[in-house]
Amino acid sequence: MNLIDLSEQEPHKSEPRRQPTPAGAIPSCPKCGRPMALRTAKTGKNAGKQFWGCTGYPDCKEVVRV
Ligand SMILES: [Zn+2]
């Protein structure tokens, strides 16, 4: 019986801002580890907003909000 077995549990996924990005720093993709590129959404309801997109796109479509 394991009373303390937190290793298999996923962290709370409802926290979008676990790793605040310092200005000027390029974050790494949380999924594949590639550097991310700052992009600006051109279409959709988020048009004009910036976000970090994985440079592994389209292999990896990971996106991190700025
Ligand atoms: Zn990626």
Side-chain angles (χ1 to χ4, degrees), residues 2-60:
N2 283 329
L3 291 179
I4 305 177
D5 185 10
L6 300 174
S7 59
E8 299 288 334
Q9 290 188 2
E10 291 197 32
H12 296 287
K13 286 205 163 181
S14 55
E15 295 182 43
R17 297 192 175 216
R18 294 191 71 211
Q19 295 176 312
T21 305
I26 298 177
S28 298
C29 177
K31 216 175 209 178
C32 70
R34 289 184 178 97
M36 304 195 83
L38 190 59
R39 301 175 185 280
T40 303
K42 292 177 182 173
T43 59
K45 58 184 176 183
N46 292 321
K49 293 190 177 181
Q50 288 187 313
F51 63 94
W52 291 103
C54 182
T55 55
Y57 186 91
D59 289 336
C60 175

